[in-house]
Amino acid sequence: MAGRKLRLAMAGGGEGAFIGGVHRMAAALDGEWELVAGTFSSDAARNRRSGEQLGLSPDRVHDSIDALLTDERARPDNERVDAVAIVTPNHLHAPMTIAALNAGFPVFSEKPMAMNLAEARAIAEAARHSGQLYALAFTYSGYPMVEEARARVARGDFGAIRLVHVEYVQGWLSNPLDREGNKQAQWRTDPARAGLGGALGDIGTHAFQLAEHVAGLKVEALSSDVTTHVAGRMLDDDVNVLLRFEHGARGTLRATQVAAGEENGLRLRIHGEKGGLEWSQMEPNTLALRWLDRPAEIVRAGGPGLSPTTLPRQRTPSGHPEGYIEAFGNLYRAVAGALRNSGPAEGGALGEATWFPGLEPGLRTMAFVEAVLESAKSDEKWTAFPAITGSS
Ligand SMILES: NC(=O)c1ccc[n+]([C@@H]2O[C@H](COP(=O)([O-])OP(=O)(O)OC[C@H]3O[C@@H](n4cnc5c(N)ncnc54)[C@H](O)[C@@H]3O)[C@@H](O)[C@H]2O)c1
């Protein structure tokens, strides 16, 4: 693989799709990858058009993942793809991923890992059995200032961590967009294509992975409240969770897509014995630090005082936003590095340039979805509040 670009195939990401285009931009960012093959849509005409628009040779554009994998396996080494990106709706993640792994191809999959934990375990089994790399697009861990936050917690700047609060607040599903023809809304609110969780699976999984990744702590127990506000919707659109982490830390996770007017409000706050940090995805270059014994600090991407593991994850001088595409690009670069160096199939150690999210966060986020839904079935944690008024 030395001295050449890595060859990428893509499943999903046809005309009008959201995340496929982001993957293509991110993969192209460092010149490490070229897209050479794909199956972009279940609609044959749309699939062909998408391949043409992307400038692919028609014989590398296939009607199904099986046709793509069969063709790639038959190609000589100097043509065969090095990895497959899976950017379809959730119900196809497990079957496509398992097929690709079993055919001998590394996979970079979109989140959530699968529809449920059982499917996620089947992916993990296929990854371990095949020995192929499996990466998962938990994009936010690719941001430089998320790495800075993780590194500072890990080196003990804040002392033992006591509080971990994460929220992912969107408003775009405040109305039943799925009934108004919005494709992205349609599959996200359909249990047959989204999986067990609505907002929970779509953005709650991002929030959970970010919280555990930066805090360096695992959740051990939780208590949840799961609501569907939009009438007729079959999956949750609003989730509130109390979290108990290992070593006594406590926290909360909110994930909602009906906070009318909100955009992509992912925010993480972590506090230890000596101080805390705050990072917000819509201000990605800023990491705020607050201390018990001294004034607050603002640490900025591109600025002074950054940890050595943050530096390779930033691309521009200070003042230029290190955004979503760049964060995604960092994951693509890490996967490329791992493949070129024949690195571990689950990525390098945390902080290393070849680290990427893989099986463990995938499995843990799917377990989180199931635990939240299980907890929400019970009303035992609720205490009725007395109807006190001014006169009684
Ligand atoms: N990591 C992130 O930040 C992030 C952000 C958005 C979406 N996602 C994830 O990306 C995935 C796709 O989301 P989206 O918003 O781009 O959806 P989308 O509906 O915009 O795109 C899905 C694409 O998959 C294609 N597709 C469907 N069935 C197919 C099949 N059988 N074969 C080939 N292609 C097929 C569709 O034609 C479409 O092009 C989801 O799993 C979602 O959770 C992740």
Side-chain angles (χ1 to χ4, degrees):
M1 293 174 185
R4 68 165 176 87
K5 289 188 187 229
L6 299 179
R7 293 181 287 270
L8 184 67
M10 179 168 281
E15 266 181 3
F18 167 28
I19 211 68
V22 173
H23 277 250
R24 291 189 289 267
M25 287 187 269
L29 214 50
D30 294 294
E32 291 268 21
W33 296 90
E34 60 179 330
L35 181 74
V36 300
T39 175
F40 300 101
S41 169
S42 52
D43 176 280
R46 187 182 289 253
N47 179 42
R48 263 197 316 279
R49 272 200 313 275
S50 301
E52 275 167 28
Q53 284 159 10
L54 292 167
L56 298 192
S57 163
D59 65 333
R60 301 298 284 267
V61 180
H62 302 278
D63 285 342
S64 70
I65 187 85
D66 292 337
L68 182 146
L69 296 172
T70 304
D71 181 62
E72 290 301 329
R73 276 176 67 88
R75 287 184 182 269
D77 285 357
N78 64 353
E79 288 183 14
R80 194 178 315 122
V81 295
D82 297 295
V84 180
I86 314 273
V87 297
T88 60
N90 305 348
H91 66 299
L92 297 169
H93 292 179
M96 287 185 165
T97 298
I98 291 169
L101 291 168
N102 287 343
F105 295 98
V107 168
F108 188 174
S109 171
E110 259 311 336
K111 43 53 62 179
M113 186 172 186
M115 301 278 276
N116 51 48
L117 182 58
E119 278 192 1
R121 287 194 202 280
I123 290 175
E125 175 59 28
R128 290 186 183 125
H129 188 254
S130 65
Q132 297 299 330
L133 177 150
Y134 174 79
L136 198 47
F138 281 121
T139 320
Y140 302 106
S141 34
Y143 280 87
M145 299 316 276
V146 168
E147 171 54 23
E148 185 63 26
R150 189 205 62 76
R152 284 175 186 252
V153 171
R155 76 182 185 208
D157 287 15
F158 310 101
I161 299 303
R162 291 172 167 163
L163 311 174
V164 181
H165 295 287
V166 65
E167 61 178 40
Y168 201 152
V169 178
Q170 296 182 335
W172 72 288
L173 286 177
S174 295
N175 290 324
L177 290 187
D178 43 309
R179 280 169 256 157
E180 295 162 17
N182 180 310
K183 280 193 180 318
Q184 279 80 18
Q186 277 168 351
W187 71 255
R188 280 179 171 81
T189 55
D190 172 6
R193 289 182 286 172
L196 296 175
L200 176 59
D202 200 33
I203 56 175
T205 50
H206 270 305
F208 181 87
Q209 186 270 340
L210 183 70
E212 283 203 335
H213 175 66
V214 177
L217 295 172
K218 291 191 178 4
V219 167
E220 291 183 333
L222 58 78
S223 177
S224 72
D225 186 27
V226 174
T227 309
T228 304
H229 291 276
V230 173
R233 183 167 283 164
M234 289 185 286
L235 290 171
D236 65 85
D237 51 27
D238 181 28
V239 173
N240 293 282
V241 191
L242 292 173
L243 300 168
R244 291 184 169 181
F245 289 82
E246 60 186 337
H247 309 310
R250 294 287 186 267
T252 58
L253 182 151
R254 292 177 62 208
T256 182
Q257 292 176 315
V258 295
E262 296 294 336
E263 296 179 329
N264 200 47
L266 173 59
R267 183 168 70 136
L268 175 68
R269 283 173 295 164
I270 295 182
H271 292 89
E273 299 158 308
K274 303 182 211 167
L277 65 81
E278 176 173 349
W279 180 78
S280 172
Q281 192 262 341
M282 292 201 297
E283 290 290 341
N285 275 28
T286 298
L287 181 66
L289 308 177
R290 300 191 182 90
W291 304 105
L292 263 186
D293 61 350
R294 57 187 192 273
E297 290 172 67
I298 295 293
V299 184
R300 296 272 295 160
L306 297 173
S307 310
T309 55
T310 301
L311 302 178
R313 290 174 165 83
Q314 54 186 22
R315 295 150 187 284
T316 47
S318 59
H320 300 82
E322 298 275 349
Y324 189 57
I325 314 283
E326 289 85 349
F328 242 112
N330 286 341
L331 298 188
Y332 264 98
R333 190 169 56 190
V335 171
L339 289 174
R340 286 191 194 283
N341 301 327
S342 302
E346 299 201 30
L350 281 167
E352 280 180 11
T354 53
W355 176 85
F356 54 82
L359 295 175
E360 184 172 316
L363 289 162
R364 290 189 60 76
T365 46
M366 296 317 300
F368 167 71
V369 167
E370 295 201 2
V372 166
L373 294 174
E374 184 59 31
S375 167
K377 286 182 196 161
S378 161
D379 266 341
E380 281 184 19
K381 59 190 169 294
W382 292 102
T383 302
F385 196 77
I388 298 172
T389 64
S391 55
S392 63

